[in-house]
Amino acid sequence: MSGGEIAALIAAIAFAVLVVFVIRLLAQVQKTVASVSTTVEEANKTIRVVTKDVDVLTSEVEGLLVKTNTLLNDVNGKVATIDPLFTAVADLGESISELNRSGKNAVAKLGAVGKTTAQATVAGKVGQTALKFFNQQRKQNANSKSE
């Protein structure tokens, strides 16, 4: 064998080894691509299911929003109806407060009149007692003069 033939044989063996490694690499790449393909397919199925669920939820949420808006409008109407009642209650509260103030003022004035009346009553009783005393003194003086 000549040097060229040996070089050709080494090149052929190296090429064969290279082909074997490339084939093994391609086999692993094929397995990886198959795995990725399966994962993408499962992801697509999951996305379809989630999309359907989201569509159902969306329609339910829309229904809930419509009902909520109706209920809110109803509550707003009822609150508007009740507003005059709260105004009347507030006015009544103010009237009761004014009545309480007037009552307190009247009691204070009656207390002052009561003190004055009590003083006048005491003065009147003192006057009556003094009058009785003087009348008795006159009678005694009149009796003593007639005896």
Side-chain angles (χ1 to χ4, degrees):
M1 268 195 166
S2 70
E5 288 178 344
I6 292 177
L9 183 62
I10 291 174
I13 291 173
F15 184 73
V17 170
L18 180 64
V19 168
V20 168
F21 281 116
V22 168
I23 289 173
R24 285 185 69 201
L25 179 66
L26 287 176
Q28 287 179 352
V29 168
Q30 181 183 7
K31 286 180 185 177
T32 304
V33 168
S35 176
V36 168
S37 177
T38 304
T39 302
V40 168
E41 193 174 306
E42 288 177 10
N44 284 336
K45 286 180 186 177
T46 303
I47 287 172
R48 276 186 238 120
V49 170
V50 168
T51 302
K52 287 180 185 177
D53 290 345
V54 167
D55 289 343
V56 170
L57 284 174
T58 300
S59 72
E60 288 180 9
V61 166
E62 286 175 1
L64 271 171
L65 286 175
V66 168
K67 288 179 183 178
T68 301
N69 285 337
T70 303
L71 181 62
L72 186 60
N73 289 336
D74 184 42
V75 167
N76 284 337
K78 288 178 180 172
V79 166
T81 303
I82 293 174
D83 277 344
L85 173 66
F86 287 120
T87 302
V89 168
D91 291 344
L92 179 63
E94 288 178 22
S95 297
I96 289 173
S97 294
E98 289 176 17
L99 181 63
N100 282 339
R101 272 188 246 116
S102 297
K104 286 178 183 178
N105 289 340
V107 166
K109 287 179 183 177
L110 284 175
V113 168
K115 282 184 181 179
T116 305
T117 304
Q119 289 171 352
T121 302
V122 168
K125 285 185 180 184
V126 168
Q128 281 179 343
T129 304
L131 183 61
K132 282 181 186 178
F133 177 73
F134 288 123
N135 281 339
Q136 285 176 356
Q137 287 296 324
R138 273 192 219 165
K139 282 183 184 179
Q140 284 178 0
N141 285 340
N143 284 340
S144 7
K145 285 183 183 181
S146 37
E147 292 181 4

